[in-house]
Amino acid sequence: MNNVLEVKGLEVVYSTNRGDVQAVRGIDLDVHRGEILGIAGESGSGKSTLAVALLRLLKAPGKVTGGSVMFHPAGRSPVDLLKVHGEELRVLRWSALSYLPQGSMSSLNPVMRVEEQFKDVILEHAPARRDSLGELIPRLLGQVGLEPRVGRMYPHELSGGMKQRVLMAIAVALEPDLVIADEPTTALDVTIQRVILQSLADLRTDFGVTLMVISHDMGVHAQLADRVAVMYEGRLVEVGDVRQVFKDPQDPYTRQLIESIPRLGRKAS
Amino acid sequence: MTAEAPPAVAVDKSQDSAPVSGVRAWLSRHPLAAYAIRRFGLYLIELWGALTIAFFFFRLMPGDPIQTLIQTLQQNYIYNAQASAEIIARYKHEFGLDGNLLTQYLVYMQKLILHGDLGPSLINYPTPAQTVILRSLPWTIGLLGISAVMAWILGVVIGAIAGWRRGKLGSAIATNLSIALSHVPYFFVALILVYVFAYSMGLLPARSAYDSNINPGISFAFIGSVLKYGLLPGLSIVIIGTFSWILSTRMLMIPILGEDYLVYAEAKGLKNSRILTRYALRNCYLPQITAFGISLGFIFNGNVLVEQLFSYPGLGTTLVTAIQQLDFNTILGVTDIAIFSVLTAVLLLDLLLPLLDPRVKYWK
Amino acid sequence: MRLLTAVLRTIRNSRRLATGLVILALLVLVALFSPLIVKAVGGGQDPIELAAYDKWQVPGPQHLLGTDQFGRDVFAMVVKALAVSLQIGAIAGVISTVVGVIVAFVAGYKGGWIDNVLSTFTGILLVIPTFPLLIALSAYAKNVSLFQVGVMISIFSWPFAAKTIRSQVLSLRTRPYVDLARVSKARDIEIIVTELLPNLLPFIGVGFASSALGAIFGLVGLEIIGLGPGGVIDLGQIIFNAIGTGALTLGAWPMFVVPIALLTLLFAALNMVNIGLEEVYNPRLRGVAGE
Amino acid sequence: MKSELELRGVQQRFHARGVADGYVTAVDDVSFKLLASPPQIVSLVGQSGSGKSTIARNVLGLQKPTAGSVLYGGKDIFKLSRSEYDAYRRDVQPVFQDPYAIFNPFYRVDRVLWKAVKKFKLASTREAGLKLIEESLQAVRLEPENVLGRYPHQLSGGQRQRIMLARVHMLRPSFIIADEPVSMLDAQVRKHFLDILLDFQREHGMTTLFITHDLSTVYYLGGEVMVITKGQIVERGPVATVMHEPTHPYTKLLLDSIPSPDPDQRWTTRIQVDELERLDDNTPADTTKPEAPVL
């Protein structure tokens, strides 16, 4: 099976007291093993809701009202992500399906050292690695360009870019099949953004993970993605190879999106 | 015409540009030490301020207790001896009442700080007030300390769970009970406990701190008796205290549930129990440690009445007796001791905090 | 007018706040009409006069809650005492809120050394046990009036209001709309009154409710020790009376239970208002609060 | 006419705990001059923590610099006489970053416009005031009936930010200090906003100090640009020159970090940004920032 994830007819609504608001409207999407898939769209397009639904982190008043999400972790039997619950879901998490949140959000526990936040997830899913932790954590940190001593630090002692890198290292700690990254470069300074984008590309090379990168920034997709899916008002309007999407957009909305990118009169090196 | 106030300027920022001194550089490299020093400095200021407030408060009180005392003394002398100015002056001196207010203050503070001397107690003359107070201090520290800590632990744990499981029946019951009862004075519960367990059922004693037939000392019988007699007064503090900690912990817990790091912990596939203890509880009990310190003075206030109700031989009872007898050195002394104990407890908690919460040392 | 709609909107958003306010309103109503109620109970004579009736009557149709050791009607006493307890809450609540608000605004807005001094002073009063000071004060100042007791209690309860409001002022004064007011030539006092104060109303409400709670509690405490103001009966005094005369053992339980129940109800109502306001106005609680 | 706004050697330090000497220097010896005529657009571009917002507060008189001075018409703005102060306030007006927080949630949005009318005595009657307000709203392409009488939360971010422009339009200051005014707006709305600023320059002769982290908006606006990092201005010049021939390594780094929206122009080289150097100062990264972190 070459697909890690097969989304079919996914529907998500948010119930409000003025009726239901449909945030995701019947999405069909395959994620190929080993690729970097970009999900593009403006704010309110439903791309973050899609990510949250796939990660099974959707909270009330949001609710999945239809569709299936077949997940094919290596060495395990395929499951419908929307139908697993409790312990089964918990075991699947991180070792197979992992999450890279926005670094500027407070995703790291403020009162735990960085290394503790590696340890708890590793020990939860791979207790056999207890003895190798002392070597594993510095190696993971090194992979994203951080020194070992960062492990001894607390989140408030790190800059936004460093936090993002720590989150990246934790995300791949158990070599998951799929990492869903939600706006991984947003709210970072441009110079840091570039470093983060480079490290994300490295993750695929070094760990062979499949990455699904959600971003409103078309520049991110142009630099990083193999394929791009464009969302608009809860629908997928276009999915295709990154070159095709940028050079020859099929959907008028995609075209508009690409045209609205502010351009500098200077070519990036 | 000159300018009126130029536009208000953000204020908490320093304008001076003093050269970097060695001390400041050292402190900036040792934030923990800097924190401790700053905190201890604040403690000394608070202690001095509170003792000063208490002193002047009592000396400047309307109704002038001093005058009343002098009158009482004078009356006594008429029976005992000639009301000579000399004798009155001597008593005034002994009680620290000679000279003007400032002199009195300086003498009082000097004696207090250098010798721990609070002046003689009036009712137990010539026993010094500190001796009277020190007799009752252990009882209060034991009763109040143990019950306050128990209430805190119970309240924080139950409150955290109530927040965590909000929407569930148990949580709703705990929450609403707390809302109804958390501001009820301790002695209300004490009264009800006395009524039910002491009068109606006759199970537990309603007065005193131990069985007077048992000799005080380190013996099982005595300790058992202390526990038995302390149960009802202690319980009344624990019950109400727990409710109020439940409420405030729950209020702290609920915003934490919306924090990104909890979503992240869930995405990590950690067990629920682990998320509750390592992520949620760990972030919400820390502010409660500071709150515990601040609540101590308040708990002491309530405790005065509880002790009074149970004739518990602690500071509260000593205080009320002293007030009824106009024993002003003892009154002021009890207040001073209470101030000292509470401020010191708060200081110790605050110094402990950086060891538990890595963020503290950077706080202002 | 707009204030009113804002208030109504707030109340609609919180069942807890609404419940608290309704209970409070009922209690206040009873207190307001207490002279009439007492009159009705007496039916021409004063039911709280000494030896108005036989003493120690058990509750019945004649005397809903029985009579006390002096033959006074307990129901009438409780109604009147409720009014007194609410009065002390209102007096001390208003004084400490006003003082607290002023201190909080001066400290929070002016900042610098003024803030340091005021905050340290507030901090001292917050932490030190003030009850000894309070009881001593009432012991020495004999024959104090209810108002004086209210003032005395306020001396110790304003720091709570000051502390809550100061932290809000600190967070509000850096808001961009304050900057905008400054570049529109608004003066400090104008900014405080028109930009900050309206947004602080709920916190001022919380401060008031807390101070009122503290004052009622404080007065009851004084009565328990027998140091209350002269000439008035408050709920605490009835309880003190019940304990002192051993009413419990005489079967006159209403003298003991009813005032405690009423006070508990009052505390609960004020507390609900407190918590309701906090939940409605704390954006971090708003999203997820409510059961 | 007082037609100059000048920063001369402005330095701004803040107290901070846990740093080497107890201070962080947010703005370090910054000097530049803005001229009212000819009207110009000067962009100040820098990353978070570079000190650019502090400069805005200095210029607006909201924060008194630790050293150096802000001069309006040659006089220190913190030492103006009353009439000079009035003129300065009238002549230097801001547009802030956050279109949500700029409105006091307690009041209707038109209050900020009425305040401007009253405080700066723009009209003597209510009718004249209303007419002025409606004109200005139309000038920023807002329908008066759609915004007047509304509460802030009933309007979109773009609408709110344009009300602030309407306020500027009414006051006709010589200088607009715009601190990241478009960073919280969507791309489409952002373009609108920038066009209005350009209009103001052309039609009403207003000079704008445009503070931003985003080089692409700088490019769109044109004019002059100053690049700031670590509190110091490291490069300045016409936008075209700076963008095409950057001389300072930091400007080059900034330009190189903008992801090109073309999959055929991916980065081939790597850059190193040493965030770890901050750790060596023993500096807690998130607590030294004197300003609240921007969203």
Side-chain angles (χ1 to χ4, degrees), chain D residues 115-154:
Chain D
K115 269 251 141 126
V117 170
K118 281 177 195 147
K119 285 283 177 185
F120 293 98
K121 302 190 175 66
L122 301 179
S124 47
T125 64
R126 201 182 152 75
E127 289 69 37
L130 186 63
K131 189 159 169 287
L132 213 56
I133 287 175
E134 288 182 343
E135 270 172 22
S136 291
L137 286 173
Q138 275 152 1
V140 297
R141 293 158 220 172
L142 283 171
E143 296 295 325
E145 60 269 29
N146 286 346
V147 291
L148 293 179
R150 301 289 190 92
Y151 282 95
H153 63 90
Q154 295 170 312

Side-chain angles (χ1 to χ4, degrees), chain D residues 72-224:
Chain D
Y72 169 70
K75 285 201 172 179
D76 190 324
I77 59 163
F78 292 97
K79 293 173 188 153
L80 297 177
S81 74
R82 179 165 226 152
S83 60
E84 286 168 334
Y85 178 75
D86 283 351
Y88 158 74
R89 271 286 170 249
R90 173 74 194 262
D91 219 18
V92 182
Q93 282 292 327
V95 179
F96 291 113
Q97 174 183 22
D98 187 342
Y100 300 86
I102 196 65
F103 288 96
N104 191 332
F106 196 75
Y107 299 105
R108 293 186 169 92
V109 289
D110 24 332
R111 177 169 176 271
V112 299
L113 301 174
W114 281 111
K115 269 251 141 126
V117 170
K118 281 177 195 147
K119 285 283 177 185
F120 293 98
K121 302 190 175 66
L122 301 179
S124 47
T125 64
R126 201 182 152 75
E127 289 69 37
L130 186 63
K131 189 159 169 287
L132 213 56
I133 287 175
E134 288 182 343
E135 270 172 22
S136 291
L137 286 173
Q138 275 152 1
V140 297
R141 293 158 220 172
L142 283 171
E143 296 295 325
E145 60 269 29
N146 286 346
V147 291
L148 293 179
R150 301 289 190 92
Y151 282 95
H153 63 90
Q154 295 170 312
L155 301 180
S156 72
Q159 283 175 312
R160 283 186 269 201
Q161 207 59 320
R162 272 184 283 162
I163 291 178
M164 296 319 293
L165 280 182
R167 181 178 172 280
V168 167
H169 182 266
M170 280 168 59
L171 291 167
R172 303 282 160 85
S174 304
F175 301 96
I176 305 174
I177 312 300
D179 184 7
E180 294 267 14
V182 294
S183 66
M184 293 173 80
L185 303 181
D186 273 339
Q188 204 81 0
V189 189
R190 180 178 295 201
K191 196 170 158 298
H192 254 122
F193 186 97
L194 299 177
D195 287 341
I196 296 171
L197 270 188
L198 289 168
D199 275 3
F200 281 7
Q201 181 201 9
R202 262 192 311 267
E203 289 167 26
H204 306 297
M206 296 184 202
T207 286
T208 300
L209 176 64
F210 189 86
I211 295 167
T212 183
H213 69 279
D214 179 15
L215 280 169
S216 58
T217 49
V218 173
Y219 192 79
Y220 188 84
L221 284 170
E224 307 268 318

Side-chain angles (χ1 to χ4, degrees), chain B residues 125-187:
Chain B
Y125 184 81
T127 315
Q130 63 268 27
T131 313
V132 178
I133 292 168
L134 285 179
R135 258 184 301 205
S136 54
L137 187 64
W139 291 109
T140 293
I141 289 185
L143 174 69
L144 192 146
I146 294 172
S147 6
V149 170
M150 269 178 60
W152 187 84
I153 294 172
L154 276 173
V156 168
V157 169
I158 299 174
I161 295 172
W164 181 255
R165 296 176 56 83
R166 75 180 192 292
K168 304 274 172 22
L169 184 67
S171 161
I173 292 174
T175 307
N176 286 313
L177 263 182
S178 305
I179 286 178
L181 298 178
S182 63
H183 271 88
V184 170
Y186 300 142
F187 58 80

Side-chain angles (χ1 to χ4, degrees), chain A residues 20 125 128 149 167 180 195 259:
Chain A
D20 289 357
H125 298 287
R149 65 188 166 120
L167 289 169
I180 298 182
V195 176
E259 278 164 8

Side-chain angles (χ1 to χ4, degrees), chain B residues 27-267:
Chain B
L27 286 178
S28 68
R29 266 178 282 119
H30 300 87
L32 218 57
Y35 168 80
I37 292 170
R38 205 165 52 233
R39 186 62 192 82
F40 189 72
L42 185 66
Y43 166 75
L44 291 181
I45 293 173
E46 282 179 343
L47 194 58
W48 167 78
L51 294 178
T52 304
I53 291 172
F55 176 86
F56 284 104
F57 183 88
F58 284 105
R59 292 291 154 105
L60 292 171
M61 210 140 51
D64 198 357
I66 315 307
Q67 203 49 48
T68 325
L69 168 78
I70 301 295
Q71 278 166 5
T72 324
L73 285 177
Q74 277 172 330
Q75 275 170 359
N76 289 345
Y77 304 143
I78 290 166
Y79 295 105
N80 295 339
Q82 293 293 38
S84 75
E86 211 176 296
I87 292 177
I88 293 173
R90 213 198 78 209
Y91 273 88
K92 267 192 162 184
H93 178 72
E94 266 197 42
F95 282 94
L97 296 172
D98 49 351
N100 62 21
L101 202 57
L102 189 64
T103 323
Q104 291 182 23
Y105 169 68
L106 292 175
V107 169
Y108 185 84
M109 290 302 266
Q110 191 192 3
K111 276 191 182 169
L112 176 60
I113 293 163
L114 295 182
H115 311 288
D117 184 7
L118 295 165
S121 155
L122 185 65
I123 28 176
N124 297 305
Y125 184 81
T127 315
Q130 63 268 27
T131 313
V132 178
I133 292 168
L134 285 179
R135 258 184 301 205
S136 54
L137 187 64
W139 291 109
T140 293
I141 289 185
L143 174 69
L144 192 146
I146 294 172
S147 6
V149 170
M150 269 178 60
W152 187 84
I153 294 172
L154 276 173
V156 168
V157 169
I158 299 174
I161 295 172
W164 181 255
R165 296 176 56 83
R166 75 180 192 292
K168 304 274 172 22
L169 184 67
S171 161
I173 292 174
T175 307
N176 286 313
L177 263 182
S178 305
I179 286 178
L181 298 178
S182 63
H183 271 88
V184 170
Y186 300 142
F187 58 80
F188 277 25
V189 184
L191 285 172
I192 291 164
L193 290 178
V194 167
Y195 183 64
V196 174
F197 291 100
Y199 287 126
S200 303
M201 300 168 77
L203 281 177
L204 289 166
R207 303 186 80 75
S208 186
Y210 56 90
D211 191 338
S212 53
N213 297 325
I214 303 175
N215 282 330
I218 308 292
S219 68
F220 282 117
F222 179 67
I223 292 171
S225 160
V226 166
L227 289 178
K228 187 175 163 193
Y229 278 73
L231 193 61
L232 285 185
L235 208 56
S236 52
I237 297 175
V238 170
I239 290 175
I240 294 303
T242 304
F243 279 128
S244 82
W245 290 117
I246 287 179
L247 204 56
S248 56
T249 309
R250 183 183 164 276
M251 294 285 266
L252 282 170
M253 187 68 165
I254 284 179
I256 286 178
L257 294 182
E259 290 283 353
D260 301 324
Y261 54 80
L262 277 202
V263 178
Y264 190 60
E266 188 191 343

